[in-house]
């Protein structure tokens, strides 16, 4: 630079761009200098590129998210859990989240187990059900170990009807129970005559009507298409399922009319689904499970295939380490409460519904569902910001799930544990809140971040096993 150019440089107004430390920006602003601040900080962890075995991690992750995106979950049938879930037996109860013993189960999960044992006729009341559960005669296992998912307590007992989904691209299956609605329901840990009466009606009326209708639909119902449409209609398909429920009802109504000769029974089914805006949740969740499973076992992949909570622990699993759970204490939900309840009543975060965020919708598609922001205690701007932040920790953007307010940009897809470690950004979740005591049920809904500890452990274990 010549002397004249230096003089020219200092003789003109300065326009500064500062990258990183805010203190430089503040100092220059105090001097009246125009400045643009760029928020940036160095990665908190080194980027893992290649494993010791020479596997390109970027390539492995590309394959993982490709399999998730190609998945096409179709609702093909229904059946009773003990008859259709592979490996199921009559002394087995499935639950949400990572593995846990009866003694460590939270109140709502214990309440749901007690209620399920009474509903099954294996115990005459809740007290004897608790004694049976503690006796060691009942086997407990995560839904995820049986290709299933369950909202909140996530209990699946032998007689419960389950939806059967097939991933038509890869041929794998996924299962979930029917959604009971909100309030005093088993999945929130409630039990009692009203809960059992609803479960028996769902088994004896709702299930046979839906099963007969589904059996008459050639090719089943394409749930990936329904989720895609629902995202364009204001759902995020985790805490808001109003559009998805309406789309499902529209898809199955003609079949019900053709297969159910009892018009009053058909009307009861229509009313039950129409009055339960969360009915589609028990279809969007197994759809996510069906899409994620084909990515499990891809060596060298750091993409999450499972996030789940049992109300005591939060757990995750990686595509490259499919049999290993990484756990941390479940967090508390920041939310809104039903009349008569406060945060002192709340149980820690619970449920398999985080399968939706893992599969690239749910809380990661909050920008598509501004109406849900109010339900969980935020604003539409909060919803938009939540989705934008999640792009920072995801490997790709979904081809089939898009967000109208973001000019139909694909939803954030493929949580990469490397990016979580590098940025320190944790997955955002939206969820319901169960009462901490068994037998009561739902008390609210809200949002929270996944716990940092299990992500840090997963990153370190993957690095030590494969990359150092």
């Amino acid at each position: 630079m010549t002397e004249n150019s230096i003089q020219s440089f200092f003789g003109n107004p300065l326009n500064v761009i500062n990258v990183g430390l805010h203190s430089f920006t503040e100092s220059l602003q105090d001097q009246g200098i125009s400045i643009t601040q760029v928020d940036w900080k160095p990665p908190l962890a080194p980027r893992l590129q290649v494993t010791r075995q020479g596997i390109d991690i970027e390539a492995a992750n590309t394959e993982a998210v490709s399999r998730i995106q190609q998945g096409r979950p179709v609702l093909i049938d229904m059946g009773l859990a003990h008859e259709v879930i592979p490996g199921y037996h009559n002394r087995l109860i499935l639950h949400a989240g990572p593995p846990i013993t009866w003694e460590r189960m939270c109140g709502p999960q214990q309440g749901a187990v007690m209620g399920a044992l009474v509903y099954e006729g294996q115990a005459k009341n809740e007290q004897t059900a608790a004694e049976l559960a503690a006796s060691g005669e009942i086997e407990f296992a995560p839904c995820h170990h049986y290709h299933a998912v369950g909202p909140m307590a996530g209990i699946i007992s032998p007689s419960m009807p389950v939806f059967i989904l097939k991933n038509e691209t890869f041929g794998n299956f996924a299962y979930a129970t029917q959604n009971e609605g909100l309030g005093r329901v088993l999945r929130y840990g409630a039990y009692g005559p009203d809960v059992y009466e609803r479960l028996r009606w769902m088994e004896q009326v709702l299930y046979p009507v839906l099963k007969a209708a589904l059996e008459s639909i050639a090719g089943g119902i394409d749930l990936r298409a329904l989720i895609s449409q629902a995202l364009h209609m204001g759902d995020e398909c985790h805490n808001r399922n109003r559009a998805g429920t309406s789309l499902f009802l529209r898809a199955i109504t003609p079949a019900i009319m053709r297969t159910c000769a009892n018009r009053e029974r058909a009307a009861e089914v229509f009313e039950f689904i129409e009055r339960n805006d969360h009915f589609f949740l028990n279809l969007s969740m197994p759809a996510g499970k069906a899409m994620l499973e084909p990515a499990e076992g891809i060596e060298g992949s750091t993409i999450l295939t499972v996030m789940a909570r049992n109300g005591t622990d939060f757990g995750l699993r990686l595509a490259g380490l499919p049999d290993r759970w990484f756990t941390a204490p479940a967090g508390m939900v920041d939310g809104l409460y039903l009349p008569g309840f406060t945060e002192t009543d709340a149980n820690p975060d619970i449920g398999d519904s985080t399968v939706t965020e893992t599969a690239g919708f749910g809380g990661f598609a909050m920008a598509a569902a501004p109406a849900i922001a109010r339900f969980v205690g935020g604003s539409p701007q909060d919803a938009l910001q939540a989705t934008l932040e999640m792009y920072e920790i995801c490997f790709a953007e979904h081809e089939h799930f898009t967000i109208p307010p973001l000019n139909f940009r694909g939803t954030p897809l493929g949580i990469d544990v490397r990016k979580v470690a590098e940025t320190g950004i944790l997955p955002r979740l939206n969820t319901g809140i169960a009462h901490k005591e068994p037998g009561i049920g739902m008390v609210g809904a809200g949002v929270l971040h996944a716990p940092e500890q299990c992500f840090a452990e997963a990153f370190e274990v993957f690095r030590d096993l494969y990359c150092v």
Side-chain angles (χ1 to χ4, degrees):
M1 184 177 287
T2 65
E3 183 176 346
N4 286 339
S5 63
I6 292 175
Q7 292 174 344
S8 174
F9 177 77
F10 285 108
N12 291 309
L14 291 178
N15 292 294
V16 179
I17 298 174
N18 183 57
V19 179
L21 291 176
H22 281 264
S23 57
F24 291 132
T25 296
E26 294 165 359
S27 177
L28 291 171
Q29 284 175 333
D30 290 342
Q31 300 175 55
I33 296 174
S34 173
I35 184 166
T36 300
Q37 172 67 30
V38 177
D39 288 325
W40 179 86
K41 57 185 178 182
L44 301 175
R47 170 61 63 94
L48 305 179
Q49 299 284 3
V50 182
T51 70
R52 284 197 297 266
Q53 295 76 22
I55 298 171
D56 185 325
I57 297 174
E58 293 285 311
N61 287 346
T62 299
E63 175 64 18
V65 295
S66 174
R67 291 189 190 182
I68 298 170
Q69 292 200 81
Q70 290 176 47
R72 193 167 72 85
V74 175
L75 175 61
I76 60 169
D77 199 355
M78 297 185 71
L80 300 180
H82 71 99
E83 294 178 347
V84 298
I85 297 178
Y88 204 101
H89 58 80
N90 284 332
R91 303 300 273 182
L92 173 65
I93 287 185
L94 303 183
H95 62 76
I100 192 167
T101 62
W102 167 256
E103 290 74 19
R104 291 190 69 244
M105 281 185 185
C106 64
Q109 197 155 61
Q110 285 191 337
V113 169
M114 291 151 59
L117 290 172
V118 175
Y119 159 72
E120 292 287 344
Q122 296 188 30
K124 62 181 181 182
N125 55 43
E126 290 78 21
Q127 181 178 349
T128 55
E131 294 168 358
L132 175 60
S135 70
E137 295 182 27
I138 301 298
E139 179 184 349
F140 298 107
C143 293
H144 275 288
H145 290 186
Y146 285 80
H147 314 287
V149 282
M152 302 308 289
I155 300 304
I156 301 178
S157 63
S159 300
M160 288 184 179
V162 293
F163 293 115
I164 304 172
L165 281 67
K166 182 180 182 182
N167 183 336
E168 294 289 356
T169 308
F170 295 96
N172 59 296
F173 293 84
Y175 309 88
T177 57
Q178 302 172 110
N179 192 284
E180 311 158 73
L182 297 177
R184 277 188 45 78
V185 290
L186 191 81
R187 76 176 189 277
Y188 275 91
Y191 51 65
D194 55 332
V195 175
Y196 308 140
E197 181 181 2
R198 185 186 304 109
L199 289 174
R200 293 190 179 103
W201 180 86
M202 292 171 67
E203 177 187 339
Q204 296 164 8
V205 178
L206 180 63
Y207 160 59
V209 169
L210 292 182
K211 178 175 175 59
L214 284 170
E215 288 175 343
S216 74
I217 300 175
I221 297 175
D222 187 338
L223 293 180
R224 189 179 73 182
L226 262 56
I227 293 172
S228 177
Q229 293 176 61
L231 292 176
H232 290 183
M233 295 168 66
D235 281 0
E236 38 73 86
C237 298
H238 182 168
N239 253 328
R240 182 179 169 87
N241 287 282
R242 180 169 294 183
T245 299
S246 298
L247 290 167
F248 172 73
L249 199 54
R250 191 171 74 166
I252 202 165
T253 292
I256 291 177
M257 297 303 294
R258 294 189 180 101
T259 56
C260 183
N262 187 326
R263 295 181 63 180
E264 178 55 31
R265 177 164 287 202
E268 290 179 25
V269 169
F270 290 142
E271 287 175 344
F272 181 82
I273 297 175
E274 190 276 330
R275 292 172 181 172
N276 177 9
D277 286 339
H278 285 260
F279 192 84
F280 191 69
L281 174 64
N282 287 42
L283 292 168
S284 67
M285 286 177 57
K289 180 64 177 171
M291 288 186 279
L292 286 160
E293 276 203 347
E296 293 180 351
I298 296 177
E299 192 172 1
S301 175
T302 54
I303 300 298
L304 266 63
T305 54
V306 173
M307 283 196 299
R309 315 87 91 203
N310 55 35
T312 301
D313 303 318
F314 179 105
L316 65 85
R317 297 199 296 187
L318 301 180
L321 295 168
D323 298 324
R324 178 163 181 169
W325 285 92
F326 298 94
T327 62
M332 296 304 296
V333 182
D334 180 16
L336 298 178
Y337 289 85
L338 300 177
F341 298 104
T342 69
E343 61 185 12
T344 61
D345 299 304
N347 193 78
D349 191 24
I350 184 171
D352 285 336
S353 53
T354 37
V355 68
T356 59
E357 282 84 12
T358 317
F361 48 102
F364 282 30
M366 287 278 281
I372 193 59
R374 190 169 185 179
F375 180 65
V376 296
S379 68
Q381 185 60 37
D382 293 332
L384 178 63
Q385 187 57 40
T387 295
L388 292 176
E389 188 179 52
M390 293 303 96
Y391 285 113
E392 300 295 319
I393 58 172
C394 284
F395 188 80
E397 297 177 10
H398 213 295
E399 294 177 355
H400 301 288
F401 301 153
T402 58
I403 302 175
L406 293 178
N407 197 25
F408 295 95
R409 183 178 179 181
T411 60
L413 172 65
I415 303 167
D416 187 344
V417 75
R418 298 178 306 166
K419 292 194 172 189
V420 175
E422 292 166 13
T423 64
I425 297 172
L426 295 165
R428 291 197 186 202
L429 318 171
N430 60 27
T431 188
I433 306 173
H435 198 286
K436 62 185 178 184
E437 299 295 336
I440 298 176
M442 181 184 183
V443 297
V447 296
L448 76 161
H449 285 95
E452 178 183 5
Q453 179 183 334
C454 49
F455 286 88
E457 183 186 1
F459 176 81
E460 291 171 3
V461 168
F462 185 91
R463 180 194 60 194
D464 294 345
L465 280 175
Y466 293 112
C467 299
V468 176

